[in-house]
Amino acid sequence: MSYTLDDLLYLMSRLRDPDGGCPWDLEQTFDSIVPHTLEEVYEVVDTIERRDWTHLQDELGDLLFQVVFYARLAQEENRFDFSQIIDQLVSKLLRRHPHVFPDGELRGVRSTEVVDQQQVNRNWESIKQDERQAKSRDRVLDEIPQALPALNRALKLQKRAAQVGFDWDEADKVLDKIEEELAELRQAIREQDHDAVRDEMGDMLFAQVNLCRHLSVEPEQALRGTNAKFERRFRHIEDQVKASGRPWQAFTLEELDQYWNQAKLKGL
């Protein structure tokens, strides 16, 4: 026997049932679940990056449960239920894929039009802009969530501004901007102005995200890749230190850096 989505929804209703439900689940609110949702998202990302396909199914299930939980809370407050989430999602995706569903019907006629990915992206952004206007959101940067991780939000802010022409026309100009920000950061450091250092550091990071965008590099993925590389190489250093029988304090930075270079030569 295999359980279905209906079974999951029923399970959720039992967990939240005041008569015999789970005390922990009954205490939860929209706000209290948010940290768990973020954790589940990152666990899905981590599993995919590690190519751990064995556990991906389990992690995706945990993430789905978060959606089911929110839907149950909303249903209890007479806001909406899970079926309405599905209905709104399908309607939105039909609307945003006219090149696949030309008549706007899920099981309607199939499109014979050939479109490339760039055209799809342009259509997608145009349709989303129409949706924002329909919601009386006439500010360009509206609907970019404040709660997004700063790196991700910086990228979205820049993409949205670029849609109305506020953007560099080539990557070299972004590099010039990074050098300008670096010079300002150096000046703030020399003046020992901590607030200015923080401000200029933010400007430089923002400019680096902009360069990633111009070079079609996903900044979050790039940084995660560098984090993983640093971890691999540092573990090599740690292995050498342990094998030596000497404490960390007995090594100079130059000696540790030699181990780092060894790790690079090993392709770590």
Side-chain angles (χ1 to χ4, degrees), residues 83-102:
S83 65
Q84 290 172 287
I85 295 175
I86 299 300
D87 179 70
Q88 183 169 330
L89 174 61
V90 172
S91 297
K92 179 170 64 178
L93 292 176
L94 288 173
R95 187 170 62 250
R96 292 183 179 180
H97 291 82
H99 53 289
V100 179
F101 307 97

Side-chain angles (χ1 to χ4, degrees), residues 246-263:
R246 299 161 57 196
W248 282 93
Q249 295 79 2
F251 288 86
T252 64
L253 178 58
E254 288 73 19
E255 290 176 306
L256 296 176
D257 198 45
Q258 287 179 359
Y259 291 144
W260 177 272
N261 290 329
Q262 287 178 6

